[in-house]
Amino acid sequence: MFGRMTSDHEAQLRAVSLRVTRPRLAVLAALHENPHVDTDAVIALVRAEQPTISHQAVYDVLRALTQAGLVRRIQPAGATARYESRTGDNHHHVVCRSCGAIADVDCVVGHAPCLTAPDHHGFVVDEAEVVFWGTCPECATAHASQSSASPEGSR
Ligand SMILES: [Zn+2]
Ligand SMILES: [Zn+2]
Ligand SMILES: [Zn+2]
């Protein structure tokens, strides 16, 4: 399975004319398994496999993959930049205000811009940035058990 995934990632790199390198494959694999992680998390994940890789090398790989469209960079307000390998479908994100957890929300339209501005002031609009904010199930459960002051707690 790992081998198949690696060859998928090799094909992805070749499709955008990027040379296949171990750091690039490692970053793609890390993001495939762990969507919406920040740079520090990507470095930790890649170093688990390639302990000698430098921070700068990971930054460079993230930049190259993002520019090539293989990786998408998202940055919800007040959060550090996160990276994911699910690209090209204009999906959106729901972000927990309490813990910062992020989940994917499919775009109903499937391509940008998914909203039509009532008045675009003559601008050619190519994207609507949509972020859903709320409380994730775990935080909602934690809040509920705190306020009910149950002696057993919720976990
Ligand atoms: Zn949460
Ligand atoms: Zn996503
Ligand atoms: Zn949308």
Side-chain angles (χ1 to χ4, degrees):
M1 201 172 99
F2 182 75
R4 209 195 120 243
M5 208 173 78
T6 301
S7 61
D8 284 354
H9 291 152
E10 288 176 5
Q12 282 186 310
L13 288 168
R14 291 201 182 95
V16 295
S17 307
L18 283 182
R19 212 154 45 81
V20 175
T21 64
R22 285 189 68 217
R24 286 173 180 165
L25 289 175
V27 168
L28 284 173
L31 292 178
H32 185 86
E33 297 292 324
N34 307 272
H36 315 128
V37 286
D38 64 14
T39 310
D40 287 346
V42 174
I43 291 169
L45 288 162
V46 171
R47 281 197 168 160
E49 264 191 59
Q50 299 176 31
T52 56
I53 195 165
S54 70
H55 282 223
Q56 192 57 49
V58 175
Y59 291 134
D60 291 346
V61 168
L62 281 171
R63 187 167 351 99
L65 295 179
T66 304
Q67 278 173 2
L70 296 184
V71 165
R72 180 172 164 195
R73 182 182 187 276
I74 60 164
Q75 188 159 21
T80 53
R82 314 295 182 91
Y83 296 89
E84 65 183 339
S85 58
R86 179 180 168 184
T87 61
D89 63 356
N90 195 51
H91 73 271
H92 308 299
H93 295 99
V94 57
V95 184
C96 177
R97 287 188 196 281
S98 298
C99 70
I102 299 177
D104 285 339
V105 178
D106 287 347
C107 180
V108 175
V109 184
H111 57 82
C114 48
L115 299 173
T116 308
D119 179 357
H120 53 70
H121 299 281
F123 285 52
V124 177
V125 175
D126 58 30
E127 183 180 357
E129 189 175 295
V130 180
V131 179
F132 300 92
W133 293 90
T135 306
C136 76
E138 275 165 40
C139 288
T141 306
H143 294 163
S145 66
Q146 267 168 28
S147 54
S148 68
S150 143
E152 302 160 5
S154 63
R155 17 191 125 198

